[in-house]
Amino acid sequence: MSRALNDAPHVSEAVRRKVKEAAAALDYHPNLAAQSLIARRSYLIGLTYERPSPSYVVELQNGALGRLENERYRLVVLPFNHVASRPEELGKLLLRAGLDGVLLAPPACDQPVLLDMIERQRLPYARITPHSDLDRGLVVAMDEVAAGHTVAAHMLSLGHRRVGIILGDPSHAASRGRLEGYRQAFDEAGVAIDDSLVGTGDFTYDVGYRVALELLDRPVRPTAILAQNDDMAVAAIAAARDLGLSVPQDLSVAGFDNSEVSRTAWPPLTTVHQPVREMAWDAANRLIAMLDGDADSDAPRRRDHLHELLVRASTAAPSSAE
Amino acid sequence: MSRALNDAPHVSEAVRRKVKEAAAALDYHPNLAAQSLIARRSYLIGLTYERPSPSYVVELQNGALGRLENERYRLVVLPFNHVASRPEELGKLLLRAGLDGVLLAPPACDQPVLLDMIERQRLPYARITPHSDLDRGLVVAMDEVAAGHTVAAHMLSLGHRRVGIILGDPSHAASRGRLEGYRQAFDEAGVAIDDSLVGTGDFTYDVGYRVALELLDRPVRPTAILAQNDDMAVAAIAAARDLGLSVPQDLSVAGFDNSEVSRTAWPPLTTVHQPVREMAWDAANRLIAMLDGDADSDAPRRRDHLHELLVRASTAAPSSAE
DNA sequence: GACAAAACGGTAAACGTTTACATAAATAGG
DNA sequence: CCTATTTATGTAAACGTTTACCGTTTTGTC
């Protein structure tokens, strides 16, 4: 009888014990499908991602699993690349997987088509570090402003004053947030941002390289470059090298994302690490809260986590000759 | 009507189309719990592992996912470390997760207690690279003999004749298999294994170091060492360095496993890579075959995959002075 | 055009739980 | 001791599918 197993009221202690003993003796396990059917819940949470970097995927997964541990929920992994690459395909897969909710990491979390499909079916979801539509659904992100502030403050504290900036794609919220953080740090240090030293990239290596060349070609060269992601930062290092400048002696460079390339680059890149595990934990946490109905309606739909600055060999104090 | 959606016979084309259109219009998705209930299947396959190495986990997962793609089955990840570390706990979790089958990677696949529990509940399972009880359940492994052969043949082909061997824990099947492979390669090359140059370790760094010191202390020093895993191989490198020998000039060293340390060691270690992805694919494949009932009863319960030799900087021809 | 056979469509039982409800038993109050 | 109240237990409906069964319609053959 289900009442005994589930510690429901209106059942005597004696019967409860007997039932439980019998269940243990037969090693009986309740049928989850039947429970799901009646509860109208599968107790399955999906996780989609596409990042090729193993460490990212594992961090993401472990974060979510950490929250799901000791819960009834189980984690189903649904990587994007294992499916046709069209968001509609992923959407169908998600909707057919019978999930109670889904965690969306980039790039799935930024597919409006996918979000439309999911919302249409009323499938609860949480987005991890989305780059656009930041007010849609439950969002867990990094505080880009704070991160930008930290990395800029690091450069300024080393003594750099002529600092070049390579922006990412202006349509990305991260790009604007990081720039805002730079601004705050410059303001606090009483240093003005030299607009002629601000170039606009698009997060790709190639464009980053071109912008870096332009910045380094100025009559008064910057002593440091803040790039809004690692790809553009390594492009800046390459550009510097091609101009006969060495990093960090002649030029300090900092990136963003703690990507694989930031570690393998030479010199290794000072960069900002996203607290992936923590964010995934939080995303799972808020999704569960939503599913279990004890969602604070006054809880913010978006939550920002703190970054971590990784100081590596690509930044140093400007040489006194400068 | 379910017959129309499921392309069952005895339903007219017209009705079928109409039903399908209506279903699409309402974007109806069949309730998986109800389907599971009647089919007595959850279409969930579990994956347990404990390896801290992200690349291993991702390879494992991607291999399994690669096979599950386009199947009804979904993959549920159940890492060991996220649970209490006792195998009984993991067993309970597995049995309660309502899985149709489970893929067991080390160390879970080597827990007799766990296997007992799983078998008792008739939960189908496949073991990936088990180290003991190799004839229990469905087993997907690396052909250790072939791998041992390859790495030994590599050493011999470089010209080494006095080759030291550091065995792993003799109770591990891998240890015996790899040694057998060494033997075959030596036989083929017409070189005798010098028993005085064979030491027994236990796969740990410390013991590996001690054994390596002993081997290198012989009056006639070996020019190469075959270690049965990477930890012991890097221990051998350390031992050589402590004796003033440089690798690979004075001593060539090869390991096994392509572990993290084999890449970060200096010099990077020549080692044998397990085809993890491929094995996970195969494990999922055979598990599915079993679940779907089209299991060849004459198919072997164990399958060996081919390794991959990674030649890196720790092996070279013996210096002519030797 | 009649008959057999095949194709089709409707109905209901079954899957294994939970839960609401009804009934029965125990307890308490008058 | 009887009634009112609480507490315990049994029963049946419900969850959303699939499938077996049965009756009806269509098709094909002579």
Side-chain angles (χ1 to χ4, degrees):
Chain A
M1 212 71 211
S2 77
R3 275 180 295 229
L5 279 319
N6 297 356
D7 294 321
H10 295 299
V11 60
S12 67
E13 205 42 56
V15 173
R16 178 166 322 202
R17 219 188 40 243
K18 262 180 86 174
V19 171
K20 287 199 174 181
E21 276 170 13
L26 298 167
D27 30 35
Y28 162 84
H29 294 273
N31 181 311
L32 285 207
Q35 289 185 322
S36 292
L37 185 57
I38 191 105
R40 279 101 170 275
R41 299 237 187 143
S42 62
Y43 291 102
L44 292 176
I45 288 186
L47 174 65
T48 58
Y49 56 83
E50 191 181 5
R51 203 71 77 97
S53 148
S55 62
Y56 179 82
V57 171
V58 168
E59 284 286 291
L60 197 63
Q61 201 162 289
N62 284 347
L65 284 166
R67 180 60 186 83
L68 262 41
E69 184 179 358
N70 300 326
E71 295 281 346
R72 298 190 62 175
Y73 295 97
R74 291 155 293 166
L75 189 73
V76 177
V77 288
L78 301 156
F80 204 173
N81 50 334
H82 277 272
V83 180
S85 45
R86 290 170 44 233
E88 290 84 359
E89 296 297 321
L90 179 61
K92 273 191 199 158
L93 196 87
L94 287 178
L95 297 176
R96 281 190 188 147
L99 305 170
D100 283 351
V102 64
L103 302 171
L104 303 173
C109 63
D110 287 312
Q111 303 276 3
V113 181
L114 183 65
L115 298 183
D116 289 343
M117 290 179 77
I118 293 175
E119 281 179 0
R120 190 132 163 266
Q121 291 286 324
R122 306 250 146 71
L123 179 64
Y125 66 97
R127 304 163 69 204
I128 299 170
T129 60
H131 293 308
S132 54
D133 283 317
L134 260 48
D135 45 359
R136 196 166 172 187
L138 242 41
V139 167
V140 174
M142 185 172 73
D143 186 336
E144 302 287 355
V145 177
H149 179 276
T150 301
V151 67
H154 166 66
M155 279 297 192
L156 292 166
S157 75
L158 287 171
H160 293 279
R161 288 298 174 267
R162 288 199 309 286
V163 180
I165 293 175
I166 308 180
L167 301 175
D169 187 325
S171 71
H172 276 48
S175 182
R176 294 191 299 271
R178 291 168 186 184
L179 177 58
E180 174 57 25
Y182 294 164
R183 267 192 219 294
Q184 290 180 7
F186 275 73
D187 283 353
E188 285 170 18
V191 178
I193 290 187
D194 181 347
D195 283 339
S196 72
L197 290 181
V198 177
T200 300
D202 63 353
F203 290 127
T204 66
Y205 181 97
D206 289 346
V207 174
Y209 182 85
R210 212 167 53 229
V211 173
L213 273 188
E214 284 168 18
L215 294 180
L216 297 174
D217 199 30
R218 291 289 140 82
V220 201
R221 224 176 40 226
T223 63
I225 286 185
L226 294 170
Q228 287 200 333
N229 78 344
D230 289 335
D231 284 343
M232 299 193 300
V234 298
I237 292 179
R241 192 186 50 231
D242 292 350
L243 292 174
L245 302 172
S246 57
V247 175
Q249 291 80 5
D250 305 321
L251 180 76
S252 284
V253 176
F256 239 106
D257 290 346
N258 189 26
S259 60
E260 187 65 28
V261 69
S262 74
R263 266 160 284 155
T264 58
W266 193 257
L269 213 52
T270 291
T271 190
V272 172
H273 174 68
Q274 289 190 336
V276 178
R277 188 193 200 97
E278 201 184 305
M279 291 191 293
W281 190 96
D282 194 30
N285 185 40
R286 308 197 51 208
L287 191 58
I288 288 180
M290 188 179 210
L291 295 175
D292 290 351
D294 45 55
D296 275 327
S297 52
D298 54 343
R301 298 182 60 75
R302 173 170 162 196
R303 190 119 89 204
D304 287 341
H305 286 252
L306 287 181
H307 58 282
E308 189 183 348
L309 177 68
L310 302 178
V311 176
R312 291 198 280 235
S314 69
T315 49
S319 66
S320 48
E322 294 279 341
Chain B
M1 211 70 209
S2 78
R3 276 179 296 227
L5 279 317
N6 296 357
D7 294 320
H10 297 300
V11 61
S12 68
E13 205 41 57
V15 172
R16 178 167 322 207
R17 220 187 40 243
K18 263 180 85 175
V19 171
K20 287 200 174 180
E21 276 168 11
L26 298 167
D27 31 35
Y28 162 84
H29 293 275
N31 181 312
L32 285 207
Q35 289 185 324
S36 291
L37 185 57
I38 191 106
R40 278 99 170 279
R41 298 233 187 149
S42 62
Y43 292 102
L44 291 176
I45 288 187
L47 173 65
T48 57
Y49 56 83
E50 190 181 4
R51 202 72 76 99
S53 149
S55 61
Y56 179 81
V57 171
V58 167
E59 283 287 292
L60 197 62
Q61 202 163 290
N62 285 346
L65 285 166
R67 181 59 186 85
L68 263 40
E69 185 179 356
N70 300 325
E71 296 279 347
R72 300 190 60 177
Y73 294 97
R74 292 155 292 166
L75 190 73
V76 177
V77 288
L78 301 155
F80 205 173
N81 50 333
H82 276 272
V83 180
S85 45
R86 288 170 48 232
E88 290 84 359
E89 296 297 321
L90 178 62
K92 273 191 200 157
L93 196 86
L94 287 179
L95 296 176
R96 282 191 189 146
L99 305 170
D100 283 351
V102 64
L103 302 171
L104 303 172
C109 63
D110 287 313
Q111 302 277 3
V113 180
L114 183 65
L115 298 182
D116 288 343
M117 290 178 77
I118 293 176
E119 281 179 0
R120 189 132 163 265
Q121 291 287 322
R122 306 248 146 71
L123 178 64
Y125 65 97
R127 303 162 70 203
I128 299 171
T129 60
H131 293 307
S132 54
D133 283 317
L134 259 49
D135 45 359
R136 196 166 172 187
L138 241 41
V139 167
V140 174
M142 185 173 72
D143 186 336
E144 303 286 355
V145 178
H149 178 276
T150 301
V151 67
H154 166 68
M155 279 298 191
L156 293 166
S157 75
L158 287 173
H160 293 279
R161 288 297 174 268
R162 288 199 310 286
V163 180
I165 293 175
I166 308 181
L167 301 176
D169 187 324
S171 71
H172 276 48
S175 181
R176 295 190 299 271
R178 291 169 187 183
L179 176 58
E180 174 58 24
Y182 295 164
R183 267 191 218 294
Q184 290 180 7
F186 275 73
D187 283 353
E188 286 170 19
V191 178
I193 291 187
D194 181 347
D195 284 340
S196 71
L197 290 180
V198 178
T200 300
D202 63 352
F203 291 126
T204 66
Y205 182 95
D206 289 345
V207 173
Y209 182 85
R210 212 167 53 229
V211 173
L213 272 189
E214 284 168 19
L215 294 179
L216 296 174
D217 198 32
R218 291 288 139 83
V220 202
R221 226 180 33 230
T223 63
I225 286 185
L226 294 170
Q228 288 200 332
N229 79 344
D230 288 336
D231 283 344
M232 299 193 300
V234 297
I237 291 180
R241 190 185 52 232
D242 293 349
L243 292 174
L245 303 172
S246 58
V247 174
Q249 291 80 5
D250 306 322
L251 181 76
S252 285
V253 177
F256 241 106
D257 292 344
N258 188 26
S259 60
E260 187 66 26
V261 68
S262 75
R263 266 160 284 156
T264 56
W266 193 257
L269 213 52
T270 290
T271 190
V272 172
H273 173 68
Q274 289 189 336
V276 179
R277 188 193 202 98
E278 199 184 306
M279 290 191 292
W281 189 98
D282 193 30
N285 185 41
R286 308 196 53 207
L287 191 58
I288 288 181
M290 189 180 209
L291 295 176
D292 291 351
D294 45 55
D296 276 327
S297 52
D298 54 343
R301 298 182 57 76
R302 173 169 161 196
R303 190 119 88 206
D304 287 341
H305 286 252
L306 287 181
H307 58 281
E308 189 183 348
L309 177 68
L310 302 177
V311 176
R312 292 199 280 237
S314 69
T315 49
S319 66
S320 48
E322 293 280 341

